[in-house]
Amino acid sequence: MAPWQHRVGKRKSRKRQPVILCGLNYEHYRIQSLIKRSKRYELLALIDDFPWNHGTLVDGVRVYYPSEALSLAKRHGVVRVLYHADGDLAVFDDDTLLALDAQGVVCSKIDPHHIDDLDSYLAGQA
């Protein structure tokens, strides 16, 4: 195997880290587009507490209830919950937020108007 083939194989085998986005308004859609351009993260799920949104797809990503976030994090190894406004996390009860934290999931506030590169921005929050 040529050296370059070995490097290409490694790059392809590296999987993007799953994240959850909490919220479903225009700002969240803009964050969703930032995640699409990311080389490090992939959007696993959207979270919303309105029953009429549950199970729907927004740009190919399924909407889940807040009560499903912890299970998604455990099953898929979610590394972050992204949100835009402070009130977005109000859909989670305290026990869920504590359990996500115990699972190692970081909650990160994102302002899509001031971020061009999500990967660089989140690397600075490490």
Side-chain angles (χ1 to χ4, degrees):
M1 176 183 292
W4 65 269
Q5 288 175 322
H6 182 68
R7 284 193 306 270
V8 170
K10 275 188 171 182
R11 205 172 329 150
K12 284 186 178 178
S13 67
R14 191 174 17 191
K15 193 173 179 186
R16 296 189 314 165
Q17 298 175 332
V19 297
I20 292 173
L21 178 58
C22 187
L24 278 183
N25 65 29
Y26 177 71
E27 304 303 333
H28 299 96
Y29 188 76
R30 289 184 67 159
I31 294 169
Q32 191 171 357
S33 70
L34 287 171
I35 298 167
K36 275 186 172 181
R37 293 192 310 261
S38 169
K39 290 182 169 83
R40 185 171 183 186
Y41 301 101
E42 71 175 325
L43 186 57
L44 174 70
L46 296 162
I47 299 293
D48 188 65
D49 59 350
F50 291 115
W52 49 84
N53 290 328
H54 183 261
T56 61
L57 298 177
V58 176
D59 205 17
V61 180
R62 185 164 184 229
V63 179
Y64 292 87
Y65 285 127
S67 61
E68 296 172 287
L70 182 59
S71 175
L72 288 166
K74 287 179 179 180
R75 276 187 311 199
H76 299 283
V78 169
V79 295
R80 291 186 187 262
V81 170
L82 305 178
Y83 65 99
H84 171 66
D86 292 330
D88 291 345
L89 295 182
V91 297
F92 298 118
D93 60 34
D94 291 340
D95 290 339
T96 299
L97 288 173
L98 288 171
L100 286 169
D101 184 54
Q103 190 71 27
V105 177
V106 176
C107 293
S108 299
K109 186 174 182 176
I110 305 293
D111 184 349
H113 298 288
H114 297 100
I115 299 172
D116 292 323
D117 181 4
L118 183 68
D119 296 348
S120 297
Y121 177 78
L122 291 176
Q125 288 191 344

